[in-house]
Amino acid sequence: MSDARDALGGADTFLRMWRELLPVGREPRSGGYRRYAWSDADAECRAWFREQAEARGLAYEVDRNGNQWAWLGDPSEGDAVVTGSHLDSVPDGGAFDGPLGVVSSFAALDELRARESAPRRPVGIVNFGDEEGARFGLACVGSRLTAGQLSPEAARELRDADGVSLPEAMERAGYDPAAIGPDPERLARIGAFVELHVEQGRALDLSGDPVGIASAIWPHGRWRFDFRGEANHAGTTRLDDRRDPMLTYATTVLAARKKARLAGALATFGKVAVEPNGVNAIPSLVRGWLDSRAADEETLAAVVEEIERAATERGSRDGVDVTVTRESFTPVVEFEHALRDHVAKLLGPPVPVLPTGAGHDAGILSASVPTAMLFVRNPTGVSHSPAEAAAEDDCLAGVTALADVLEGLACP
């Protein structure tokens, strides 16, 4: 690999890095990505991150929670400016969600060097582990642990679909899980965190802007609905004699759509597990996971309550027991106004400021350090899908914008 310190600037190195990372973890049949936490594909991504750090002469380290860091300057001096995102994906996810922010961070640093801008504050680039939660069912594990929003005890109980625990997965990948937990000393070194991300929506496409600034993240959470009925033979059991949890589940899915629409919120059942999962067997258990989001916490709570009520009422008619467990919840995040406004000034002409319904590591860190987010236009608005897209010119505009922000924050 050529030494990135000899590169012409951010645009040149962005394109080279993007091409290098693009094949990693790609599923040929779907065209999407399966970069799950602590998997082989994740290991390739992590190796790529380390190579990029070392090629630039940056100090590389892995923290107690498995997050990767690359440093220009000494982070122990404090008041560091940090940027980055994540490299893992949802099942068959798109190429841009997460990796765009990490690749752009290295490219923005290259751009600063091409401008001969000398940072007066330490500058860091981070790859947070397991942001998507695709393997263990909880989003932002790496940043939650670091920020103290996930206890080590709870993290050690996380298991994937095959029963592999988070500590076991980390050990298999060559990392020591014994030290996982809050890292307040590390967070205290950070003066500002700025995450660049592809927009997961079409607001920028509709406004005609390549780059935007985040104002807030909607409150959101995940709830597990367990529908317990009675297994029986599909070919011999009368319809009136059945306790079929699939009927209750299906009705609940429709109710979730209706309740969310009426409240101006979002509700999605995107994952389901069935037991015994036989074509000719009435299920004994249907387990569905609800993802719900809204502009404010009161609306979100009301929507989930309405969905749970609809499920319980239908379950009583079907002879099905319904239990609901909240597995995760992230309150509304208002990005620090002072940093957000400063970022807007650094970018010059008026830049759209918009909220998002998607969760991010920046949202987790916002409770501990000043954070801001930049969005890059997504012409289709599609995300968490192989159809996720961003034009090359818009990606490079994002690199320039991030470089401008880093220069304004770290090189005043």
Side-chain angles (χ1 to χ4, degrees):
M1 182 179 296
S2 61
D3 194 327
R5 289 173 291 186
D6 298 329
L8 295 176
D12 176 71
T13 56
F14 175 87
L15 296 174
R16 185 174 70 238
M17 287 187 289
W18 192 253
R19 288 192 295 266
E20 288 176 355
L21 191 57
L22 204 59
V24 178
R26 193 168 193 173
E27 169 58 40
R29 289 172 294 181
S30 69
Y33 290 85
R34 298 181 182 179
R35 297 167 172 164
Y36 306 147
W38 308 113
S39 66
D40 290 344
D42 184 54
E44 288 189 62
C45 289
R46 296 172 70 85
W48 173 90
F49 183 96
R50 181 170 186 169
E51 289 172 3
Q52 300 307 316
E54 294 177 345
R56 290 164 174 79
L58 306 177
Y60 170 80
E61 62 175 334
V62 180
D63 68 21
R64 62 191 303 176
N65 297 307
N67 305 309
Q68 295 178 288
W69 301 80
W71 290 101
L72 177 64
D74 184 359
S76 66
E77 295 177 1
D79 201 28
V81 178
V82 177
T83 185
S85 192
H86 63 95
L87 293 173
D88 65 311
S89 77
V90 299
D92 290 326
F96 295 85
D97 180 354
L100 179 63
V102 178
V103 175
S104 296
S105 296
F106 283 114
L109 183 58
D110 294 337
E111 179 62 26
L112 290 186
R113 284 173 161 170
R115 297 176 186 178
E116 299 184 350
S117 298
R120 299 181 182 179
R121 300 164 63 179
V123 176
I125 297 173
V126 61
N127 167 36
F128 282 110
D130 200 5
E131 192 270 355
E132 295 290 4
R135 182 172 183 182
F136 297 102
L138 179 65
C140 300
V141 169
S143 56
R144 285 183 193 272
L145 280 168
T146 300
Q149 297 181 27
L150 173 64
S151 70
E153 295 76 17
R156 293 188 180 102
E157 293 300 315
L158 294 174
R159 281 173 167 70
D160 66 12
D162 296 321
V164 178
S165 70
L166 174 63
E168 290 171 337
M170 292 181 70
E171 283 186 324
R172 292 178 185 179
Y175 293 85
D176 181 8
I180 60 173
D183 202 346
E185 292 183 4
R186 179 174 298 275
L187 293 180
R189 299 173 180 176
I190 302 174
F193 176 66
V194 181
E195 180 174 4
L196 179 145
H197 204 279
V198 68
E199 187 193 2
Q200 294 167 294
R202 289 191 58 217
L204 291 175
D205 183 60
L206 294 174
S207 69
D209 297 282
V211 177
I213 300 172
S215 60
I217 298 176
W218 280 13
H220 56 279
R222 296 180 180 183
W223 290 261
R224 189 185 77 237
F225 281 63
D226 291 338
F227 303 88
R228 298 184 182 277
E230 182 180 55
N232 216 325
H233 197 297
T236 61
T237 310
R238 295 186 335 126
L239 294 181
D240 290 343
D241 293 339
R242 300 183 179 201
R243 295 175 54 213
D244 187 350
M246 187 63 76
L247 294 179
T248 316
Y249 169 71
T251 303
T252 304
V253 172
L254 296 176
R257 173 62 179 263
K258 179 179 179 180
K259 304 301 184 183
R261 185 179 66 248
L262 292 174
L266 299 170
T268 307
F269 277 97
K271 179 180 177 181
V272 61
V274 182
E275 296 178 10
N277 204 29
V279 175
N280 60 348
I282 300 165
S284 60
L285 169 68
V286 175
R287 178 168 286 151
W289 281 264
L290 171 71
D291 178 300
S292 192
R293 307 163 192 242
D296 59 81
E297 295 176 29
E298 183 178 343
T299 301
L300 177 59
V303 167
V304 174
E305 184 178 344
E306 286 291 317
I307 296 171
E308 182 175 353
R309 181 180 296 112
T312 302
E313 290 177 353
R314 177 69 196 205
S316 65
R317 292 167 53 190
D318 296 333
V320 170
D321 297 324
V322 179
T323 58
V324 180
T325 304
R326 189 178 78 176
E327 293 192 335
S328 69
F329 178 76
T330 302
V332 64
V333 173
E334 281 280 349
F335 289 110
E336 187 184 77
H337 291 191
L339 179 59
R340 183 192 69 193
D341 295 344
H342 187 38
V343 167
K345 290 180 180 178
L346 292 172
L347 296 183
V351 177
V353 179
L354 57 146
T356 177
H360 300 282
D361 292 308
I364 300 298
L365 264 61
S366 67
S368 305
V369 301
T371 60
M373 288 194 72
L374 300 179
F375 290 131
V376 171
R377 176 167 49 192
N378 179 342
T380 66
V382 174
S383 188
H384 285 186
S385 159
E388 184 178 82
E392 182 178 297
D393 286 348
D394 289 347
C395 292
L396 297 182
V399 170
T400 299
L402 183 57
D404 290 344
V405 171
L406 296 180
E407 186 174 42
L409 294 176
C411 311

